[in-house]
Amino acid sequence: MLIIMEANCTVAQVSAVEDCVRNMGYTPLPVPGPSRTAICVTGNRGPVDSSLLSQLSGVVECIRVTKPYKLVGREVQPEDTVVRVGDVRIGGSNAAVVMAGPCSCETEARTMAIARAVQKAGATMFRGGAFKPRTSPYEFRGLGREALVTLAKVRSELGLPVVSEVMDSESIPMMAECVDVFQVGTRNMQNFSLLNSLAKCGKPVLLKRGLSASFEEWMMAAEYLLSGGNRNIILCERGIRTFSEHSRNTLDLNIVPMVRKVSHLPVIVDPSHGVGHRERVRPMARAALACGAQGLLVEAHTNPATSYTDADQTVDIKTLEGIVRDRDYLAGLEKA
Ligand code: PEP
Ligand code: MN
């Protein structure tokens, strides 16, 4: 249930409502918004009886939230969430953000060269993996701390905000010193203890869709982060597993307008993992933007064939420039 308060309600009125919710055995979560003050009731199993609540002073109305996800939905927050990372704004009507970089951070010299190149191509965030989840334990699993030092250098020397995957709660404090956005990979979307820790990390989280997660499961994973106190969440569609063998995953673009309709959270698309073949990345990036994606995560490299990981799906800098041109072209069409 969502309790809508009068626009000029007092702090005392809000705490009286919160106390009443607690006395009923539920947990109140305030939902700040530009146009209204609301309190979301959580922890209820069935419908909440609103008869007591609706009589309290300052309460305008009590709305039943029909979906299992509450804080991520537009029922609770009609306006788009805009996530701020340094000078970059993700979501709302802001220009679609392009995050790019190698799948894995490489030597410092190579990583810095890639970062300079993606920045020149128009990317405004750098994405590089320090800790890589790999199917085989014998494969390259990232340079770890060494890569974090390089990511910190990308940030300080080039001013590019940095996104990197976090695989466990223990790494959060160490990573927080070097990265601006924590990426939750597809395999960890339902790692609830990691989500609980990230809810308290104080930084934005880029939450990839699980490789076989339903829409609702994805939204509920985001709900863990929001209900734990982190409102700066970016959703990322990265393809799901299907019977198709012509691509690494099946990029489910149909979920993008669905997310835009149901949730206020920004949604971006990772066409690289979504297809797994570099020649299809630019067309699918264009399609993603055309259907409403608010950003792209692209694996790009100055010499893609030599990438430590995911070489087949990594595009060169010229292609990345093309993707940025497509973004600007489509933005122009939208305005016209
Ligand atoms: C990645 O971004 O390099 C990655 C491992 O992504 P995913 O979790 O989508 O497979
Ligand atoms: Mn990758």
Side-chain angles (χ1 to χ4, degrees), residues 103 127 132-133 165 183-187 208 238 248 270 273 297 299 310:
C103 177
R127 209 300 304 255
K132 300 303 301 179
E165 176 161 354
Q183 173 178 322
V184 175
T186 197
R187 295 161 186 82
K208 286 197 167 194
R238 50 77 71 200
R248 181 175 179 185
D270 166 1
H273 293 85
L297 194 164
E299 289 189 337
D310 284 351

Side-chain angles (χ1 to χ4, degrees), residues 85-86 125 155 160-164 175-176 178-182 203-204:
V85 187
M125 291 178 73
R155 185 161 72 165
L160 273 181
V162 163
V163 187
S164 199
M175 288 186 74
C178 310
V179 314
D180 301 285
V181 176
F182 285 108
K203 296 209 181 227

